[in-house]
């Protein structure tokens, strides 16, 4: 057990469950047993200093259940509590709806009305200094963009400049309509590029610093998993000092942290470093790095995409050349922190140091990823992502396991509450706890259930009679099954496919066959498609990954969720395949630990789209027979809500017709 969190002795604050009762009554709701159980568990974790994982199904009211004890703790200790989410949608829900209403409801019960703020990464805020300073150009090679793209970006740049005159926050999300990354990058800086408030001429009015100052004065700071990881693992703090963290959407924590610590190397990143160092050093030294960039460009263009398990000699030589050339440029730049009296030059040097550090350190990381004694000793994986229409090939490096980082940097310093609707995979929290690195830490897992009566409200139908899915697209039998189910439901269908290719193929095959509107992800922005789907009952929507987790459509517009296949990661996915092999080399079951866990998480998220309110009813149809027949089906089914199950094709059709009538 960790040391309990600091509290003020004899603080006469009402108990957390009493505060919850006040809040629920003020908001016109009714208390739910799962919500009460969760409030007490969170308060107990705070009191004991133990980490807590809470699975709370849709409709539990989990945000109130963790916000109430968190606010109480902030009042007791006079320290902010950090709430981290994976998605912007949940951040906005917390800041725009949940927290304002909760603060008003609890104002009379607490020493002061609870306060809150949202804090994002520095890149999300307009940099006042960069608006006017002689900053090095960040534009990538213009040949990657056609003339229309460049013209559109120019108009966006002008809109940013006009908006800069009136914005009070500098928050990119408040610029509506939004702008592309190429335009925004010209007016923002990363934390590594920032001069620092004390040295920057615009430091006193810096939007990012003002946001951080506000966050240091409130009770609840809402942020995202990426910034939480940067704060925990970086050398300098980004978030205000805190001792309690709530991680909502905790099922995405590992993936978001992995993204933060993944390194990239490409002709673009090296050329950017060359441009930034530009005239700051002798040209022959900069030319050496440019030559290394050309060598890397030629090598990556000719190499096949995929995992690079063994270091080819030519790649090793090229990476060493990039590393050494970048090191010579860094030496030529001279000591860091110079040019205090010349902010423009200081900004140029800081930008050059940042780009060169990234190139140098990533090349070092990639070289050090090799030379291990065996697969079990490997710490990182290197792979090549092939070129796209928008970018050249990119060489990437990522850790095989982030659990150790989280254990030491996040869980070692503070008490953490992790929550999501999907954490107990196969009926156990152990799989997620291993990914988080919590194996030997003091922690508890609790499932507070769901207010929904899953067996009465929903049917889980597995099409056991269909053939197993193959690699050659959707079989005709799958298309026939989809069409018959949609006809029985009268539309009202969300189709979740394992790939965009499958979603588009199904749309093309069925659009003329069905007499209901059929939308496909990519036809318009996902937000507008979901809105159209929700507002027109007969409409169907087909799509892929973002729809598995991002759709909330209560009511009669959604009666049927179709899942084409068990969503295992692609066999050629470099990171998941490397992680699977690494687990096996250490004596574990790589398939169950990595692939089956990945599939279980997505299945649980996908099936969770059906019931979004107490009155919802419907069918989940999984076309992949392996969910009923494979040896791992018990683990997958044990990860899902307890719907009534059937493999009889007549049952879901009859149920859907009754609902349609």
């Amino acid at each position: 057990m960790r040391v309990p969190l600091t509290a003020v002795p004899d603080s006469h604050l009402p108990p957390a469950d009493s505060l919850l009762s006040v809040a629920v009554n003020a908001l016109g709701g009714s208390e739910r047993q799962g919500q009460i159980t969760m409030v007490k568990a969170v308060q107990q974790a705070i009191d004991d200093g133990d980490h807590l994982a809470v699975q709370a199904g849709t409709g539990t009211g989990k945000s109130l259940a963790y916000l109430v004890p968190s606010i109480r703790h902030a009042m007791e200790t006079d320290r902010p509590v950090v709430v981290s989410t994976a998605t912007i949608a949940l951040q906005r829900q917390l800041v725009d709806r949940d927290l304002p209403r909760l603060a008003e409801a609890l104002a009379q019960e607490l020493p002061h009305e609870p306060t809150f703020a949202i804090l994002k990464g520095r890149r999300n805020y307009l940099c006042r200094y960069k608006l006017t300073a002689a900053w090095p150009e960040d534009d990538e090679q213009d040949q990657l963009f056609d003339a229309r793209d460049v013209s559109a970006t120019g108009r966006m740049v002008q809109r940013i400049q006009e908006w800069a005159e009136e914005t009070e926050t500098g928050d990119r999300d408040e610029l509506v309509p939004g702008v592309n990354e190429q335009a925004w990058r010209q007016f923002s800086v990363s934390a590594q590029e920032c001069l620092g408030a004390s040295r920057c001429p615009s430091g006193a009015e810096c939007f990012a610093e003002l946001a951080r100052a506000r966050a240091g004065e409130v009770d609840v700071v809402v942020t995202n998993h990426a910034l939480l990881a940067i704060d925990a693992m970086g050398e300098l703090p980004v978030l205000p000092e805190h001792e309690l963290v709530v991680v909502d959407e905790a099922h995405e924590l590992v993936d978001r942290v992995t993204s933060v610590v993944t390194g990239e190397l490409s002709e673009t990143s090296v050329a950017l470093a060359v441009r930034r160092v530009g005239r700051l050093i002798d040209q022959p030294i900069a030319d050496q790095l440019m030559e290394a960039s050309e060598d890397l460009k030629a090598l990556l263009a000719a190499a096949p995409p995929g995992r690079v398990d063994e270091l080819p000699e030519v790649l090793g030589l090229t990476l060493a050349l990039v590393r050494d050339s970048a090191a010579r440029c860094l030496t030529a730049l001279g000591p860091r922190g110079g040019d205090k009296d010349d902010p423009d030059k200081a900004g140029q040097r800081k930008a050059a140091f940042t780009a060169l550090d990234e190139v140098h350190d990533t090349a070092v990381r990639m070289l050090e990823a090799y030379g291990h004694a065996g697969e079990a000793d490997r710490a990182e994986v290197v792979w090549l992502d092939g070129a796209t229409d928008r970018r050249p090939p990119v060489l990437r490096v990522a850790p095989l396991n982030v659990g150790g980082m989280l254990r030491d940097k996040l869980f070692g310093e503070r008490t953490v509450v992790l929550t999501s609707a999907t954490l107990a995979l196969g009926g156990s929290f152990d799989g997620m706890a291993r990914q988080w690195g919590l194996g030997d830490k003091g922690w508890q897992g609790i499932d507070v259930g769901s207010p929904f009566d899953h067996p009465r409200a929903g049917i889980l139908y597995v099409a056991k009679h269909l053939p197993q899915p193959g690699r050659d697209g959707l079989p005709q039998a799958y298309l026939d099954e989809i069409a018959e189910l949609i006809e029985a439901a009268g539309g009202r269908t969300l189709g979740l496919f394992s790939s965009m290719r499958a979603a588009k193929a199904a749309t093309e095959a069925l659009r003329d066959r069905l007499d209901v509107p059929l939308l496909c992800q990519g036809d318009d922005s996902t937000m507008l498609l979901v809105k159209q789907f929700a507002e027109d009952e007969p409409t169907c929507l087909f799509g892929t990954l973002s729809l598995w987790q991002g759709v909330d459509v209560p009511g009669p517009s959604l009666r049927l969720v179709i899942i084409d296949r068990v969503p295992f990661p692609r066999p050629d996915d470099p990171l998941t395949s490397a992680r699977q092999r690494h687990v096996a080399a250490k004596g574990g079951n790589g398939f169950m630990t990595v692939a089956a866990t990945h599939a279980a998480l997505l299945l649980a998220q996908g099936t969770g789209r059906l019931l979004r309110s107490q009155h919802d009813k419907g069918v989940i149809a999984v076309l992949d027979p392996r969910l009923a027949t494979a040896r791992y089906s018990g683990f997958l089914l044990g990860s899902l809500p307890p719907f009534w199950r059937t493999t009889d094709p007549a049952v879901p059709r009859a149920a859907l017709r009754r609902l349609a009538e």
Side-chain angles (χ1 to χ4, degrees):
M1 186 173 73
R2 298 178 68 251
V3 177
L5 301 186
T6 309
V8 178
D10 302 321
S11 62
H12 301 294
L13 296 178
D17 53 349
S18 298
L19 290 173
L20 175 67
S21 181
V22 170
V24 170
N25 289 334
L27 297 176
S30 58
E31 289 187 77
R32 305 157 197 172
Q33 186 54 51
Q35 192 178 50
I36 297 170
T37 302
M38 182 171 175
V39 162
K40 292 179 177 178
V42 173
Q43 186 60 58
Q44 192 64 50
I46 292 171
D47 292 341
D48 294 344
D50 279 345
H51 304 303
L52 175 69
V54 186
Q55 177 162 288
T58 303
T60 302
K62 71 177 185 298
S63 59
L64 277 189
Y66 64 67
L67 286 173
V68 167
S70 296
I71 288 171
R72 184 182 186 278
H73 175 72
M75 297 279 182
E76 275 192 324
T77 60
D78 197 30
R79 291 185 180 181
V81 172
V82 171
V83 175
S84 177
T85 78
T87 61
I88 293 174
L90 182 53
Q91 287 179 36
R92 294 260 60 101
Q93 176 189 314
L94 290 171
V95 173
D96 295 341
R97 191 187 75 180
D98 294 350
L99 280 165
R101 296 168 68 200
L102 182 59
E104 184 179 357
L106 296 181
Q108 302 303 314
E109 307 294 322
L110 297 169
H112 63 260
E113 182 171 323
T115 55
F116 53 89
I118 190 167
L119 188 60
K120 305 174 183 179
R122 193 170 290 269
R123 271 281 186 203
N124 291 277
Y125 298 99
L126 186 77
C127 175
R128 289 187 185 274
Y129 178 58
K130 201 170 180 182
L131 273 169
T132 57
W135 201 274
E137 290 296 326
D138 279 1
D139 291 348
E140 295 180 8
Q141 293 138 315
D142 290 337
Q143 61 263 33
L144 292 176
F145 302 92
D146 65 27
R148 288 170 298 179
D149 288 334
V150 173
S151 176
T153 298
R155 291 193 293 272
M156 291 178 185
V157 165
Q158 184 176 357
R159 220 157 38 79
I160 295 172
Q161 291 170 328
E162 294 168 354
W163 172 73
E165 298 295 323
E166 59 189 41
T167 179
E168 296 181 0
T169 66
D171 186 338
R172 179 180 181 176
D173 287 338
E174 295 181 10
L175 178 59
V176 179
V179 297
N180 64 29
E181 185 63 25
Q182 191 189 17
W184 182 255
R185 197 172 53 240
Q186 297 182 44
F187 300 98
S188 66
V189 296
S190 67
Q192 293 78 18
E193 293 166 336
C194 178
L195 287 172
S198 61
R199 297 176 58 205
C200 178
S202 303
E205 51 184 5
C206 171
F207 287 124
E209 291 295 328
L210 290 172
R212 188 167 179 234
R214 282 193 298 272
E217 298 171 353
V218 300
D219 299 308
V220 178
V221 178
V222 178
T223 189
N224 56 65
H225 293 351
L227 197 62
L228 179 69
I230 291 168
D231 177 75
M233 298 176 191
E235 296 179 3
L236 297 175
V238 179
L239 299 170
E241 185 177 343
H242 58 281
E243 55 184 21
L244 174 63
V245 176
V246 178
V247 180
D248 202 342
E249 300 177 312
H251 62 279
E252 293 204 46
L253 180 62
V254 168
D255 285 347
R256 299 303 172 106
V257 172
T258 299
S259 295
V260 168
V261 297
T262 296
E264 299 181 357
L265 202 59
S266 68
E267 61 176 273
T268 302
S269 60
V270 182
L272 174 63
V274 174
R275 288 200 303 276
R276 284 189 172 182
V277 81
R279 300 171 185 170
L280 298 175
I281 63 173
D282 291 340
Q283 194 63 41
I285 300 177
D287 288 344
Q288 291 176 20
L289 184 57
M290 179 54 84
E291 291 170 7
S293 172
E294 293 297 327
D295 289 350
L296 182 68
K297 175 182 178 179
L299 179 62
L300 298 187
R307 235 173 39 215
V308 186
D309 291 332
E310 301 298 332
L311 182 64
E313 182 179 5
V314 64
L315 178 59
L317 292 171
T318 304
L319 288 174
L321 183 61
V322 170
R323 175 198 62 195
D324 296 342
S325 301
R328 282 191 286 271
C329 290
L330 286 166
T331 301
L333 268 178
R336 298 172 190 253
D339 302 301
K340 293 182 179 179
D341 299 328
D342 186 347
D344 283 354
K345 190 171 183 181
Q348 294 172 21
R349 282 169 49 80
K350 189 72 182 287
F353 273 120
T354 300
L356 287 167
D357 282 339
E358 182 177 345
V359 167
H360 175 270
D361 295 350
T362 304
V364 169
R365 239 178 107 182
M366 290 175 174
L367 288 167
E368 291 180 348
Y370 301 96
H372 42 78
E375 182 59 40
D377 301 311
R378 191 190 293 266
E380 299 205 288
V381 59
V382 177
W383 74 94
L384 178 64
D385 270 349
T388 70
D389 293 339
R390 308 288 294 183
R391 61 156 180 79
V394 179
L395 198 62
R396 305 185 195 275
V397 58
L400 288 165
N401 189 332
V402 297
M405 299 179 192
L406 290 171
R407 180 182 63 243
D408 297 338
K409 302 293 187 179
L410 179 62
F411 297 109
E413 301 295 328
R414 50 192 68 79
T415 293
V416 183
V417 175
L418 306 111
T419 186
S420 169
T422 49
L423 292 180
L425 302 180
S428 169
F429 290 91
D430 291 346
M432 295 303 297
R434 277 194 300 270
Q435 290 189 20
W436 297 328
L438 276 180
D440 56 351
K441 292 279 185 183
W443 69 279
Q444 180 187 4
I446 179 173
D447 183 352
V448 300
S450 166
F452 301 154
D453 188 348
H454 287 91
R456 288 181 175 272
I459 294 173
L460 175 61
Y461 160 58
V462 182
K464 187 178 177 182
H465 63 285
L466 291 179
Q468 286 196 20
R471 297 185 178 182
D472 300 325
L474 291 170
Q476 185 60 43
Y478 278 45
L479 295 171
D480 293 341
E481 187 81 15
I482 294 170
E484 291 173 18
L485 288 167
I486 290 176
E487 287 166 356
R492 303 179 177 88
T493 299
L494 178 66
L496 302 178
F497 292 84
S498 54
S499 69
M500 185 57 76
R501 185 180 70 171
K504 289 182 176 179
T507 302
E508 291 172 7
L510 298 176
R511 194 164 255 163
D512 294 333
R513 178 173 172 178
L514 298 170
D515 58 2
V516 294
L518 177 53
L519 307 174
C520 185
Q521 194 173 5
D523 291 348
D524 205 330
S525 76
T526 299
M527 183 178 69
L528 290 176
L529 290 173
V530 172
K531 184 173 185 290
Q532 188 176 343
F533 170 62
E535 291 176 350
D536 183 36
E537 281 189 27
T539 296
C540 302
L541 175 60
F542 288 0
T544 186
L545 191 58
S546 61
L547 297 187
W548 285 74
Q549 305 187 62
V551 175
D552 186 8
V553 180
S557 291
L558 178 52
R559 293 299 194 205
L560 171 63
V561 175
I562 294 176
I563 296 174
D564 70 329
R565 64 192 297 159
V566 176
F568 290 116
R570 289 169 53 104
D572 60 353
D573 180 273
L575 185 54
T576 54
S577 62
R579 285 176 167 171
Q580 189 169 327
R581 188 181 60 177
H582 182 67
V583 170
K586 299 185 80 169
N589 187 324
F591 172 78
M592 293 301 296
T593 302
V594 179
T597 295
H598 176 277
L601 257 179
L602 270 181
L603 269 180
Q605 287 288 315
T607 56
R609 299 309 97 202
L610 181 66
L611 304 183
R612 308 304 294 178
S613 75
Q614 293 278 9
H615 305 293
D616 289 346
K617 292 184 177 181
V619 171
I620 293 162
V622 180
L623 307 185
D624 188 340
R626 293 177 296 178
L627 189 58
T629 61
R631 56 182 173 78
Y632 49 77
S633 62
F635 173 77
L636 297 178
L637 290 168
S639 306
L640 306 182
F643 296 106
W644 192 81
R645 298 176 190 167
T646 183
T647 58
D648 183 350
V651 172
R653 288 161 171 76
L656 289 168
R657 289 191 191 99
R658 287 195 299 272
L659 286 174
E661 293 167 358

